[in-house]
C-alpha cells in the first residue's frame, strides 16, 4: 500500500477539524499540512523551553512531593531572566497575547516557577508591582472596622472589570502546563507569591489584582479565594 495515502487517511479518521494539543496547548487542524507543520515546530519549541535541569544558584522557596517552587527576583542573573522570557512567550501564545509585549523594564517583577519532579516547568506566575488593578476577587464580607469613607460598595463586587482599585501586586500571568492542571499548582504558586512578594508579610487577596484574566483565570481566582 502507498504509505502517504494511508497516513492521510488515518489522520482524517482520527481528527476532524480543530484539535488542541494536550501537551503544548496549541489549537490546530490536524488535516491541514501547514497547520500541522506549524504545530510540530511549536511543539518542539515548547518541549525545549519547558525543560528545566536546575540551576546552581536557584532560589527554592517551597518543596513538595511532586516538585518545587523557585523564585526569580529582579536582580537574578541574566540566564534566569532569559528563561522567564522564554516561558512567557509560550504562555502568551496560549493566551493569545500579541507578541513583542515584553516584561523587561517593569520594576519589582518577581516570577515563580513550579518545577516538576520530571525536571519540567509545570507552572509559572509572573507578578508585577502596580498601584492599581482590575480586581476580580470576590470580597463578600465587609472589612470589620473600617471607616465608611474607605469601604466602598465596589468591595462586594465579584468582578470589577471596569473600575480600577488600589492593589500592591499584580498577577501579570499565571499558567499551568496543560497536562498538569487541577493539581493545585496554580494555588501553590499563589501562596508562594503571597508569602514571598514582600519580605516579612503575607499579602491578602485585597492586595492582589489579576491584570487581564481569561475565563480559566476567573474560575481559578474565584475558587482560590473561597478556600
Ligand atoms: N474550570 C473550573 N474551575 C477551575 C479551573 C477550570 N478550568 N481551573 C481551576 N479551577 C478551580 C477549581 O475549583 C480548582 O479546584 P479543584 O481542582 O479542586 O476543583 C481550583 O480552581 C484550584 O485550581 P488549581 O489546580 O490550583 O489550578 P491549576 O493549577 O489547574 O491552574 C490555571 C489554573 C492557571 C488557570 C490553568 O487552568 C491555566 O494555566 N490555564 C490557561 C492559562 C490561563 O488562562 N491563565 C490565566 C490567565 S489570567 C492571568 O494570567 C492574569
Ligand atoms: Zn503540541
Amino acid at each position: 500500500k502507498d504509505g502517504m495515502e494511508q497516513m492521510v487517511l488515518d489522520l482524517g479518521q482520527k481528527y476532524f477539524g480543530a484539535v488542541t494539543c494536550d501537551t503544548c496547548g496549541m489549537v490546530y487542524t490536524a488535516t491541514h499540512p501547514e497547520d500541522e507543520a506549524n504545530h510540530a515546530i511549536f511543539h518542539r519549541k515548547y518541549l525545549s523551553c519547558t525543560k528545566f535541569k536546575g540551576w546552581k544558584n536557584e532560589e527554592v522557596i517551597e518543596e513538595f512531593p511532586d516538585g518545587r517552587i523557585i523564585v526569580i527576583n529582579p536582580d537574578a542573573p541574566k540566564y534566569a531572566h532569559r528563561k522567564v522570557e522564554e516561558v512567557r512567550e509560550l504562555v502568551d501564545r496560549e493566551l493569545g497575547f500579541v507578541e513583542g509585549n515584553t516584561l523587561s523594564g517593569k520594576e519589582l517583577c518577581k516570577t515563580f516557577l513550579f518545577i516538576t519532579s520530571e525536571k519540567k516547568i509545570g507552572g509559572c506566575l509572573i507578578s508585577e508591582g502596580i498601584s492599581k488593578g482590575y480586581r476580580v476577587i470576590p470580597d463578600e464580607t465587609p472589612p470589620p472596622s473600617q471607616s465608611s469613607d474607605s469601604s466602598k460598595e465596589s468591595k462586594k463586587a465579584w468582578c470589577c472589570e471596569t473600575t480600577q482599585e488600589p492593589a500592591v501586586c499584580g498577577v501579570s500571568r499565571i499558567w499551568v502546563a496543560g497536562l498538569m492542571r487541577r493539581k493545585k499548582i496554580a494555588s501553590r504558586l499563589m501562596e508562594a507569591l503571597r508569602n514571598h512578594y514582600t519580605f516579612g508579610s503575607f499579602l491578602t487577596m485585597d492586595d492582589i489584582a489579576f491584570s487581564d484574566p481569561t475565563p480559566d483565570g476567573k474560575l481559578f481566582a474565584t475558587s482560590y479565594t473561597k478556600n
Side-chain angles (χ1 to χ4, degrees):
K1 228 185 224 173
D2 179 82
M4 274 312 277
E5 199 176 67
Q6 188 58 51
M7 193 175 83
V8 171
L9 279 175
D10 274 348
L11 285 171
Q13 281 152 1
K14 270 184 240 159
Y15 308 112
F16 209 73
V19 290
T20 305
C21 176
D22 279 344
T23 305
C24 73
M26 182 167 168
V27 182
Y28 65 102
T29 316
T31 46
H32 193 294
E34 203 180 307
D35 236 26
E36 256 191 280
N38 280 335
H39 170 240
I41 293 168
F42 180 72
H43 195 95
R44 228 174 299 132
K45 188 179 171 194
Y46 178 94
L47 292 180
S48 77
C49 288
T50 52
K51 212 189 286 167
F52 192 88
K53 291 194 187 129
W55 293 327
K56 234 188 288 164
N57 298 315
E58 64 182 37
E59 207 173 314
V60 179
I61 53 170
E62 310 272 356
E63 295 210 62
F64 305 97
D66 57 342
R68 64 186 187 280
I69 292 178
I70 63 170
V71 63
I72 292 103
N73 284 304
D75 62 355
K78 271 225 168 69
Y79 63 81
H81 286 291
R82 228 176 289 130
K83 191 76 195 174
V84 170
E85 274 295 295
E86 263 180 38
V87 175
R88 187 193 53 78
E89 277 174 28
L90 292 180
V91 174
D92 283 4
R93 164 132 197 178
E94 185 172 340
L95 295 179
F97 286 178
V98 280
E99 274 177 58
N101 166 23
T102 63
L103 294 158
S104 46
K106 277 232 170 91
E107 300 276 327
L108 291 168
C109 206
K110 280 191 191 204
T111 296
F112 299 84
L113 294 179
F114 186 95
I115 311 297
T116 69
S117 335
E118 288 82 41
K119 299 188 173 159
K120 292 195 182 93
I121 296 174
C124 163
L125 191 165
I126 303 176
S127 68
E128 57 190 351
I130 51 164
S131 55
K132 275 181 173 177
Y134 300 102
R135 186 168 300 151
V136 290
I137 308 306
D139 189 357
E140 288 153 309
T141 44
S145 61
Q146 237 173 33
S147 53
S148 50
D149 55 312
S150 64
S151 62
K152 298 245 166 66
E153 253 302 291
S154 56
K155 281 242 162 201
K156 288 200 191 90
W158 279 83
C159 177
C160 315
E161 282 183 283
T162 47
T163 46
Q164 287 203 325
E165 296 203 33
V168 293
C169 171
V171 175
S172 169
R173 313 278 198 284
I174 185 162
W175 167 86
V176 171
L179 295 169
M180 307 287 302
R181 287 180 193 163
R182 306 302 285 268
K183 295 179 197 293
K184 301 281 190 242
I185 290 178
S187 306
R188 286 182 270 173
L189 285 166
M190 284 297 293
E191 293 296 304
L193 170 75
R194 294 170 70 186
N195 263 316
H196 298 274
Y197 186 77
T198 315
F199 182 76
S201 73
F202 186 73
L203 293 184
T204 70
M205 286 314 293
D206 275 356
D207 296 327
I208 300 173
F210 285 64
S211 63
D212 193 6
T214 58
D216 266 3
K218 279 181 201 166
L219 286 166
F220 163 71
T222 307
S223 161
Y224 173 77
T225 49
K226 274 194 263 178
N227 299 315

